[in-house]
Amino acid sequence: MRISAKADYAVRAALQLAASREDGPLKAEAIAHAQDIPHKFLEGILNDMRRGGLVLSQRGGNGGYRLARPAESISIADVIRVVEGPLVSVRGVRPPELSYSGPAESLLPLWIALRSNVREILEGVSLADVASAQLPTYVTALADSPKAWVNP
């Protein structure tokens, strides 16, 4: 699986909003500066997130962006889907829409299993979990494996 810069920036911006929830709306410039995200690129991402119902924007001197709902109810998967679409696709197609024949027939259940595991992790972790550094136990167990840190 490949996490694009757009998805990474969107998650980081959402985390900045989650961490600053009590401080009121944040300006895009402040988010961009805090997370080292190109400002113009971030504006587009925030607009996608607004259209997707994850953030609200407020105009005026005290304006800016804030999460549309509590960080506990927004998963990392929600953020990625809003800016990138489906979490897992093969050649731009969702796995259930694929078909294979012959020796490649077993690819479909493999792609479905991959999607299931990606969903389990990304849907099971909220912005609040990451912002508070309280990742679910099953996520930390996976990350604690020495093999997880090795690039084959």
Side-chain angles (χ1 to χ4, degrees), residues 6-148:
K6 186 176 184 180
D8 179 58
Y9 291 164
V11 171
R12 289 168 42 203
L15 289 168
Q16 192 69 40
L17 291 170
S20 303
R21 189 158 180 96
E22 303 302 319
D23 300 334
L26 286 181
K27 297 198 179 305
E29 298 86 10
I31 299 168
H33 179 73
Q35 289 298 319
D36 196 25
I37 300 171
H39 178 254
K40 287 293 183 192
F41 197 38
L42 178 62
E43 286 284 353
I45 290 168
L46 289 168
N47 280 328
D48 288 346
M49 292 171 66
R50 184 183 49 76
R51 283 190 296 274
L54 295 182
V55 300
L56 300 172
S57 61
Q58 181 178 322
R59 294 180 185 217
N62 293 326
Y65 294 89
R66 60 185 172 86
L67 293 177
R69 53 186 205 263
E72 295 81 9
S73 70
I74 301 174
S75 72
I76 301 301
D78 293 334
V79 178
I80 294 172
R81 283 187 183 115
V82 162
V83 298
E84 292 285 17
L87 295 176
V88 175
S89 65
V90 179
R91 300 181 325 252
V93 177
R94 292 177 180 193
E97 299 168 15
L98 298 168
S99 65
Y100 296 99
S101 61
E105 240 177 302
S106 294
L107 273 179
L108 184 56
L110 177 66
W111 298 152
I112 296 293
L114 172 70
R115 181 175 75 163
S116 176
N117 279 327
V118 168
R119 280 180 171 173
E120 183 177 346
I121 293 170
L122 295 179
E123 289 175 351
V125 178
S126 72
L127 292 175
D129 295 332
V130 179
S132 67
Q134 297 295 315
L135 296 175
T137 307
Y138 67 94
V139 173
T140 56
L142 289 169
D144 285 345
S145 167
K147 290 183 195 176

